[in-house]
Amino acid sequence: MAMDYVAGRTFTGGFATAFTERGGKVIQDQWIPMGTKDIAPYITALKDADMLVPWFAGVTVTAGVRQIREFNVKMPIVFPQCQFPAFPKQLEQIGDAGVGMISPEMYVWTVDTPQNKRFVEAYRKRWGELPTSNSGSTYMTMQIVFEALKKTGGDTSSKAIAQALDNTNIEGFIAPIRFGDARIGTPTYVIHKVVKVGNEYRTEVLSRYTIKTTKVGNKLVHSVVK
C-alpha cells in the first residue's frame, strides 16, 4: 500500500523483488494518489496477510498510520523505508498507532555510538529538537563533501571531486563510510522498531548492516557485508 509516486513504487517495488526472490508472495498492491488524507477505502479492501508494507508521504503519513490501526488491522507494519513516520515529531502525532512499526533507515537519533551521541547533543542545543533521518544523513553527506574538498584543495569540478572520493573516508555516526567500485559508498543502515518508553515514542535499533557495491562485468552488484 503506497503512494502512486516514483518513490512509493520504487521502495515497495524493491522490497517486493527481494521478498519474492526469497520465497515470499505478494498478494495485493494498492496505489494511493499523493495528497490523500482518507485511506479508508484502501484499508477496507485489504486482504489479510502476514504483514502490511506501506510507504506514505505528505499528509497521508500521520492519517494513514492512524487509520490502519483505527480500522483494527492487526497485521505487522513493515516500511521498506520509513523516514517520515520515524521523525521524532511525527511519532508524537501518530501516537500509539505507530508502536511496533519496523523499518530500515540510514539514520535514527537513537543509534548508540559516541559520534551520534555528540551529534544529537549538539543538534538539540542548536535547534531545540531531536534530529530526523534527513538531518543526520544530510550532515553526513556534507562531511563527505568537505573531506573530499580538502583533498582537491578547493577544486569543485566534478572530475576532481570524483577522484578525491576514491580516498575519502569518514567515521559516520553509525559506522565508517568508505567508497568502493564505481565510487559508490558503503553506507550502514539500521533496522529499527517504534517503541513507547513511558510517555515517549522512540525508535529501538534492532540491527545494523552495511551495503557494499562491487562491479561484476558491466553490472553493479549490491551485497550485505555485515
Side-chain angles (χ1 to χ4, degrees):
M1 177 187 286
M3 311 312 297
D4 192 4
Y5 169 69
V6 64
R9 287 184 174 268
T10 300
F11 282 119
T12 55
F15 180 95
T17 298
F19 184 64
T20 54
E21 285 177 351
R22 288 159 178 78
K25 182 180 180 180
V26 178
I27 63 171
Q28 183 182 27
D29 290 326
Q30 292 200 76
W31 304 108
I32 304 171
M34 287 292 288
T36 301
K37 295 181 180 180
D38 182 6
I39 65 169
Y42 301 92
I43 298 174
T44 55
L46 274 176
K47 296 179 180 179
D48 190 38
D50 293 321
M51 63 180 169
L52 173 63
V53 181
W55 191 90
F56 297 148
V59 296
T60 312
V61 175
T62 301
V65 175
R66 281 181 172 177
Q67 280 191 305
I68 288 171
R69 294 313 187 201
E70 287 170 358
F71 277 74
N72 205 32
V73 175
K74 299 295 185 181
M75 288 182 282
I77 298 176
V78 179
F79 278 84
Q81 183 256 8
C82 207
Q83 194 174 14
F84 308 113
F87 283 4
K89 288 185 176 180
Q90 203 81 53
L91 285 179
E92 293 178 9
Q93 295 175 8
I94 294 172
D96 288 351
V99 174
M101 293 190 303
I102 296 176
S103 175
E105 190 59 83
M106 182 174 285
Y107 173 82
V108 290
W109 80 94
T110 51
V111 171
D112 187 13
T113 64
Q115 297 92 330
N116 187 52
K117 288 179 179 178
R118 289 194 295 269
F119 173 70
V120 172
E121 182 180 356
Y123 191 94
R124 293 185 75 165
K125 183 177 180 180
R126 174 66 177 84
W127 300 106
E129 61 186 35
L130 290 166
T132 66
S133 59
N134 283 355
S135 305
S137 58
T138 300
Y139 188 90
M140 284 189 282
T141 299
M142 293 310 302
Q143 294 302 99
I144 294 170
V145 172
F146 292 146
E147 190 63 28
L149 286 174
K150 289 179 185 178
K151 298 181 183 300
T152 69
D155 186 346
T156 59
S157 67
S158 58
K159 181 178 180 180
I161 291 178
Q163 291 176 342
L165 287 177
D166 285 340
N167 298 303
T168 295
N169 303 308
I170 68 169
E171 288 304 313
F173 304 146
I174 302 172
I177 298 175
R178 306 288 184 258
F179 285 83
D181 291 353
R183 298 190 175 110
I184 295 178
T186 55
T188 297
Y189 288 81
V190 296
I191 302 291
H192 61 96
K193 180 179 182 179
V194 177
V195 297
K196 186 177 182 180
V197 181
N199 293 320
E200 180 186 17
Y201 300 97
R202 56 189 291 114
T203 60
E204 175 187 347
V205 176
L206 302 178
S207 64
R208 291 185 271 178
Y209 63 98
T210 300
I211 299 295
K212 183 178 181 179
T213 302
T214 54
K215 289 185 73 174
V216 179
N218 294 321
K219 294 183 178 180
L220 295 177
V221 178
H222 309 287
S223 58
V224 177
V225 296
K226 72 174 183 177

